[in-house]
Amino acid sequence: MLEAVAPTLRLNIDTDALAGNWRTLDALSGAASAGAAVKANAYGLGLAKAVPALADAGCTSYFVAHWGEARELLNYVPPEQISVLHGPINSAEAQFAISSGVIPVINSLHQAGIWTTAGGGMCDIMVDTGINRLGLSMDEIQADRIIKLSVRTLMSHLASADEDSPLNAQQLAKFKTATNAIPAGQHSLANSAGIALGPDYTFDLTRPGLALYGGVPRAELAGAISQVAFLEAAILQIRTLKAGDTVGYNATFTAPSDMRVGVISLGYADGFLRCWAGRAAIMYEGKALPVLGKISMDMIVVDLTSVPNCREGDWLSVPYALPEAAKQSGLSQYELLTILGQRFSR
Ligand SMILES: *Cc1c(COP(=O)(O)O)cnc(C)c1O
């Protein structure tokens, strides 16, 4: 058997920071408990690292989008702590929920029918209060099929919680109407940004995702949330350019004088997209090394002028504090996390 060799890319997860962010969001949720959105492999960070840390911190409600994600999550938490946001769209998915004990989120009359026909049982309900994505519309919640469900968590999702939008209060009012119409064990409205909107929005259970992983969707959370994901990449080769030499595809950088540059194992296939070109600087011992030329699939080239002691094989850190990185790159904080590729060791 061939031994695996360590990748030249590391995604270091600060599990203490993650647990601390959960505790902070749980406290900010007031009388409500915080759950955790762990869809998309815990926003790219990996269920294996993230979920045990969240569980140790005290989290007992987890949200994923896909049934396949629930299956993997079952390695870490009991089935009744898992809600599947996409809900069952066929009998196989409903059967998976029944066999595993994972809780489906019912989003439509169609899904309610599938769930009931499969045998049903405890479920969650998503009601649409204005995002017009998944969820029962307000005029469907009184339907016979819905009234007959046994509902653990009645939830809705805010469209603009990260902004001071009139939509927030409108959605809150509609959600209150829904809570009066559907008997449910508990109510849940707020994502990360929704928690920062205050106690009117937190109900019984909150569903933070982004802020757990170091994202700051609203100014109120700045200072309270710590960075969780730290990126490092190795120097594969160091070369010396002559004045006039160019770097990378389409020769978009020309060396103004002789200079020492490093070829780094990080590219757009790893999630370091081409929008970073001309905007990124990679760090070595506190020095910022500008990225030169275009981002390649597997590599970038950085200016090593300020770090003559830097050697091939050394590790550089990639600044990835999400609010700042989002401003620099033009990507959203969500995209910055979920885009991180499979070649990072996690
Ligand atoms: C993704 C998601 C969340 C988490 O949202 P964040 O903005 O990442 O905190 C909560 N609820 C639902 C329904 C979601 O899809």
Side-chain angles (χ1 to χ4, degrees), residues 38-329:
V38 297
K39 60 200 182 188
N41 203 24
Y43 288 40
L45 302 190
L47 291 180
K49 271 273 166 68
V51 174
L54 291 166
D56 282 351
C59 181
T60 57
S61 296
Y62 298 87
F63 298 88
V64 291
H66 288 247
W67 293 95
E69 296 178 322
R71 195 163 189 272
E72 201 190 332
L73 187 52
L74 280 168
N75 293 320
Y76 309 102
V77 298
E80 69 277 7
Q81 296 188 0
I82 304 173
S83 297
V84 179
L85 292 164
H86 282 189
I89 60 155
N90 55 46
S91 60
E93 292 182 345
Q95 211 48 63
F96 177 90
I98 288 169
S99 318
S100 64
V102 164
I103 308 295
V105 178
I106 302 300
N107 292 290
S108 65
L109 295 177
H110 176 67
Q111 290 192 352
I114 286 169
W115 181 237
T116 306
T117 304
M122 190 75 88
C123 64
D124 293 346
I125 286 187
M126 174 68 77
V127 54
D128 182 75
T129 52
I131 194 170
N132 283 304
R133 219 174 53 170
L134 271 179
L136 291 159
S137 62
M138 290 297 288
D139 52 21
E140 289 171 332
I141 57 181
Q142 307 266 31
D144 235 29
R145 262 183 223 199
I146 302 304
I147 303 287
K148 287 185 183 139
L149 295 173
S150 94
V151 183
R152 180 179 64 174
T153 307
L154 172 63
M155 64 182 102
S156 189
H157 191 54
L158 296 166
S160 302
D162 57 349
E163 298 176 301
D164 292 324
S165 159
L167 198 49
N168 293 326
Q170 288 164 21
Q171 287 196 265
L172 178 62
K174 283 191 185 169
F175 187 58
K176 284 184 177 155
T177 305
T179 62
N180 292 326
I182 305 177
Q186 55 181 358
H187 302 140
S188 175
L189 178 62
N191 61 347
S192 302
I195 293 170
L197 294 178
D200 287 351
Y201 288 81
T202 49
F203 293 89
D204 303 309
L205 174 67
T206 58
R207 307 186 306 271
L210 183 72
L212 292 173
Y213 311 111
V216 181
R218 287 188 65 96
E220 294 90 334
L221 295 175
I225 296 298
S226 308
Q227 185 174 348
V228 171
F230 296 85
L231 274 49
E232 288 183 296
I235 304 186
L236 302 171
Q237 186 183 6
I238 291 176
R239 59 193 313 126
T240 304
L241 305 181
K242 295 216 165 50
D245 285 351
T246 63
V247 170
Y249 286 120
N250 309 116
T252 59
F253 175 80
T254 304
S257 54
D258 293 2
M259 65 190 290
R260 193 165 168 266
V261 301
V263 182
I264 313 303
S265 172
L266 175 69
Y268 59 76
D270 306 303
F272 199 72
L273 299 189
R274 288 171 62 143
C275 58
W276 279 107
R279 306 179 185 187
I282 311 296
M283 303 298 293
Y284 181 80
E285 293 182 348
K287 296 255 172 50
L289 316 177
V291 173
L292 308 175
K294 288 194 174 175
I295 313 285
S296 295
M297 186 184 293
D298 317 303
M299 286 172 270
I300 54 175
V301 175
V302 302
D303 182 354
L304 298 182
T305 308
S306 62
V307 289
N309 54 329
C310 186
R311 295 283 167 265
E312 289 169 345
D314 283 355
W315 289 87
L316 307 185
S317 62
V318 183
Y320 222 67
L322 294 173
E324 291 76 21
K327 274 191 210 108
Q328 257 179 295
S329 65

